[in-house]
Structures are given as structure tokens and as C-alpha cells.
């Protein structure tokens, strides 16, 4: 037996252990990051940051992010991108607010608002699949177009309709409903997270999403209907943007076309921090939930330490750049 033969198994075993260790670190990294940022603000502002009502506010804000980020996760796993999700959330909220203000019953108003977001997702999907345009360019253009439409529908002002049961979906629980632990919207967010996780890991559609993100040409040769699947992906993301718009309207009680400026970047950052790769082919919703919590905790914590808005924007921008750097590092190691 040669020397090289005798050490090869050891080297292979060591490499395997390293890969397993790296995979574990990759999974636990977002959780560790969440613990660190939470502990930091808890130490800096224990009396205000750790108050139960503030923790509930963080959770309510996270619900909007997570709901939209679930759709964004599916898009990014497939190798695409959606820069219009923030505008889409605003459009849905404005449509719901305007319809309720006009006297339309809450349920039809909510369904029409969500449908408007699905329609935007359909348009994006058709442009990406039918004309084979870059998702970056298409959604960048839709970002401005959808935002402009929302401003037209709201006359560039806040639309403040009368309160209905829609506003109870995502609000802080009154004393007589503390038994629920979380508002209805938060429970819905957990259910949606489980639903999307199940779709990605236990359905043909989910397997096709990962296949397209890993290698679109190979997926096509294996019989995956790439165009049809991509269209479904953007419809799916539009639906979740609409649900996020409903949550946003419930939380703010108004329709404001400018209230979600910058959401798209925060949502993408949350998805990437959670372990979903920008190059596609890998990721999951558990990490997205953790990444969204990190973004919400940072935003809330910066406010609690009285950090001026320009510095908050610098911190947020730094987190987004860090998310891209981490994604590049993960991609090189795999």
C-alpha cells in the first residue's frame, strides 16, 4: 500500500467533516446573528427595547416582511429577482383603503386588493417568460410603474378609510384577547411559512423551482416546463405581496403609496441573510423568517437608541451589502 493510499481516506473524512461543519454553521449563522443584534439592543436600551409592547411591535412589523419575503424567497431560489415587491405592497394597501372608503365591504375590498398584486405578478411573469427579458430590468421598471399607479389611485395622499374588521388582523391584542398570544395576522404568517416550506420541499413545483435555480438549461432538458413554472413563480410571489399589502393596511389602517419605500431591498436582504443564494438553487423559508426578524430588530433597535434617520439608512445599507458578501462567500464554499 502506498503512502498516498494510506492517507487518502483520512483526507476525505476530514473534508467531509469540514463540509458538515460548514453546512451547520451556514444554518445556524442567521440564528446567531439574530441573538447578537437582539442582545445588543437589549443591553443598550433594556427599559424600552425589552418592553412587551415593543416586542409585539417588532413581531407585527416582521409579519409584513415575512409574508412578502416568502414569495421573494421562491423567486430568488429560482434564480430571479423582484425589485417591485415594495411598490406592490403599497398598491394593494391603497386599493383596499380606497375601496373601503368608497363603501365596498371589507372582504371584497381585500380580495380585489390582493388580486391587483397577483395581476402585477402575472404581468412580470409574462414579460420575463414570454419576451425572455431580464427579471432585474422588468421588475425595476415595474417598481416605478406600480408605485406611480398607487400614487394615482391615492391622489398622492394618505387614504384613511373607516375602521373595519380588516384592521384587527394585525394589531396589538387588547386585554380581553391576550389568550390568543399573537394577533391573527401573526398566526397566519406562521401558517404561510409552513405552507411555503411544504411546497418547496414536498411538491413537484418546489423541486422544479430548485432545479431552475441550479441550472435552467439542465432543468429544461430534464423535462421541466421552465416558462410555465416561472410564470407560476411570479404569480405566487404576487399573491404573497398582496397578502403582505393586506397586513400592512391592517397594521397602519391607511393606504399610503410612499409608506413602503425601500421595502424591496430590506426584503431581499432578509431572504439572503437567511441563507437563500442570489445565484439560485438553494435556500428556504426558515432562514427567511430569521432574516426578517433581524431586519425588524435592527430597525426597531436603531429607533430605540435614538439613532438619526441618515445613520439608520447607513446601517441598513451596510446590512444589505453584508448580506451580498455573505452570499458570495457561501457560494464560493459550496
Amino acid at each position: 500500500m502506498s503512502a498516498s493510499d494510506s492517507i487518502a481516506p483520512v483526507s476525505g473524512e476530514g473534508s467531509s467533516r469540514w463540509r458538515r461543519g460548514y453546512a451547520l454553521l451556514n444554518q445556524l449563522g442567521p440564528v446567531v446573528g439574530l441573538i447578537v443584534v437582539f442582545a445588543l439592543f437589549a443591553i443598550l436600551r433594556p427599559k424600552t427595547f425589552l418592553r412587551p409592547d415593543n416586542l409585539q411591535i417588532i413581531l407585527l412589523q416582521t409579519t409584513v416582511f415575512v409574508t412578502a419575503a416568502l414569495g421573494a424567497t421562491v423567486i430568488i431560489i429560482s434564480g430571479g429577482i423582484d425589485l417591485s415587491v415594495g411598490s406592490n405592497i403599497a398598491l394593494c394597501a391603497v386599493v383596499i383603503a380606497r375601496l373601503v372608503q368608497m363603501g365596498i365591504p371589507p372582504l371584497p375590498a381585500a380580495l380585489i386588493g390582493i388580486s391587483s398584486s397577483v395581476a402585477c405578478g402575472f404581468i412580470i411573469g409574462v414579460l420575463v417568460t414570454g419576451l425572455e427579458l431580464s427579471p432585474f430590468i422588468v421588475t425595476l421598471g415595474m417598481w416605478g410603474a406600480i408605485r406611480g399607479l398607487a400614487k394615482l389611485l391615492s391622489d398622492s395622499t394618505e387614504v384613511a378609510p373607516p375602521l373595519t374588521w380588516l384592521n384587527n388582523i394585525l394589531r396589538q391584542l387588547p386585554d380581553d384577547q391576550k389568550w390568543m398570544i399573537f394577533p391573527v395576522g401573526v398566526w397566519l404568517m406562521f401558517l404561510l411559512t409552513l405552507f411555503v416550506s411544504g411546497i418547496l420541499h414536498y411538491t413537484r413545483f418546489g423541486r422544479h423551482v430548485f432545479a431552475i435555480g441550479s441550472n435552467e438549461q439542465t432543468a429544461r432538458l430534464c423535462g421541466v416546463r421552465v416558462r410555465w413554472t416561472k410564470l407560476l413563480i411570479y404569480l405566487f410571489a404576487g399573491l404573497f405581496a398582496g397578502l403582505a399589502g393586506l397586513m400592512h393596511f391592517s397594521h397602519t389602517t391607511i393606504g399610503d403609496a410612499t409608506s413602503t419605500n425601500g421595502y424591496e431591498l430590506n426584503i431581499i436582504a432578509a431572504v439572503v441573510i437567511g441563507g437563500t443564494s442570489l445565484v439560485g438553487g438553494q435556500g428556504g423559508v426558515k432562514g427567511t423568517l430569521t432574516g426578517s426578524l433581524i431586519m425588524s430588530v435592527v430597525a426597531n433597535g436603531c429607533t430605540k437608541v435614538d439613532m438619526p434617520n441618515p445613520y439608520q439608512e447607513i446601517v441598513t445599507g451596510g446590512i444589505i451589502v453584508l448580506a451580498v458578501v455573505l452570499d458570495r462567500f457561501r457560494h464560493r464554499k459550496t
Side-chain angles (χ1 to χ4, degrees), residues 206-229:
R207 292 192 293 271
H208 288 179
V209 169
F210 280 101
I212 292 172
S214 297
N215 192 311
E216 183 175 324
Q217 186 60 32
T218 300
R220 182 177 286 108
L221 293 174
C222 291
V224 176
R225 300 172 63 185
V226 173
R227 289 189 177 183
W228 174 247
T229 303

Side-chain angles (χ1 to χ4, degrees), residues 77-199:
I77 289 175
S78 72
I81 197 76
D82 185 4
L83 300 176
S84 68
V85 60
S87 299
N88 212 345
I89 294 172
L91 175 65
C92 178
V94 167
V95 170
I96 294 173
R98 180 63 78 189
L99 291 176
V100 172
Q101 188 181 62
M102 293 168 58
I104 303 297
L107 181 58
L111 292 176
I112 294 172
I114 294 172
S115 297
S116 68
S117 293
V118 174
C120 292
F122 176 77
I123 293 172
I124 293 171
V126 169
L127 292 174
V128 170
T129 61
L131 300 180
E132 298 184 350
L133 300 178
S134 165
F136 180 89
I137 299 300
V138 171
T139 58
L140 180 62
M142 290 294 288
W143 165 78
I146 296 173
R147 183 77 65 180
L149 179 58
K151 290 179 179 179
L152 282 175
L153 293 176
S154 64
D155 294 326
S156 296
T157 60
E158 294 181 356
V159 181
L163 296 179
T164 67
W165 60 264
L166 291 177
N167 302 109
N168 297 329
I169 295 175
L170 201 65
R171 68 166 185 172
Q172 296 192 43
L173 292 173
D175 291 337
D176 61 339
Q177 295 181 4
K178 294 295 185 181
W179 58 271
M180 294 178 60
I181 305 178
F182 303 123
V184 174
V186 176
W187 287 114
L188 180 59
M189 174 197 69
F190 290 140
L191 290 175
L192 290 173
T193 301
L194 292 174
F195 173 70
V196 177
S197 180
I199 286 179

Side-chain angles (χ1 to χ4, degrees), residues 66 68-79 196 200 209 237 267 270-272 276-277 282-289:
V66 171
L70 291 174
T73 301
V74 177
I75 289 179
I76 294 175
I77 289 175
S78 72
V196 177
L200 285 174
V209 169
I267 287 170
V271 173
V272 176
T276 298
S277 175
Q282 68 181 56
V285 298
K286 290 185 293 184
T288 295
L289 177 60

